[in-house]
Amino acid sequence: MRVMLLILFVAAISFLVGCRIYSMVAFENREFPSDVRPSTISSAIAEKYSVGDVIIQPRIIHADPAQTSYKLAILFFSKTTNETVSISSVSIFIDGNKLEYGEGLIGQVPSPWKMYSANHPFFASSVSGEPMVFPPKNGNVSRIDMKITVLIKQGGNNATAKIIDASFVPKKKSFIE
């Protein structure tokens, strides 16, 4: 029994010595988190984040492998591939202060519609911007708010526009490697 405990103790110490704990800050939309699939959202959230038959999911993602900067990525989900999606305006506020960002997203052609098994029965498309430059005054950002005007054309010339409002708060994530 003592030998077994000694082996487990040595194995645990070896494991802990070889592992590192990493942490990072991610910005999450509490209403429509990035790990929620479009087929599982409530009807109230679907209504708020939909333009016509297209569900819009803005995300703030890391822009570099070192996870030191962020950029805006906008995902589009649709049950058909007949829609043409475009962004006509982007306004981002960091702790209430307007950030000059988003010009590169206006009129950008989204990626082609693709079906991914995780999003079934929805096709997905996306656009993303350049890295954001926002040096926080005190080293922390407590909230990011955005307004995105999305234009959807279905078929001929029928177009629908809507402003999507989203808020993001920092969430610290840690993992062992």
Side-chain angles (χ1 to χ4, degrees), residues 59-73:
R59 294 182 181 178
I60 296 176
I61 61 173
H62 286 96
D64 62 337
Q67 299 176 342
T68 58
S69 62
Y70 302 92
K71 67 181 179 178
L72 175 61

Side-chain angles (χ1 to χ4, degrees), residues 91-106:
S91 296
I92 295 181
F93 301 88
I94 309 287
D95 293 332
N97 299 311
K98 188 167 182 4
L99 178 69
E100 294 301 320
Y101 181 84
E103 289 297 317
L105 288 166
I106 297 172

Side-chain angles (χ1 to χ4, degrees), residues 126-148:
S126 66
V127 296
S128 63
E130 295 296 317
M132 295 179 188
V133 178
F134 59 96
K137 296 174 226 117
N138 59 2
N140 295 321
V141 171
S142 61
R143 184 178 173 111
I144 298 177
D145 297 303
M146 67 180 65
K147 293 181 182 296
I148 304 165

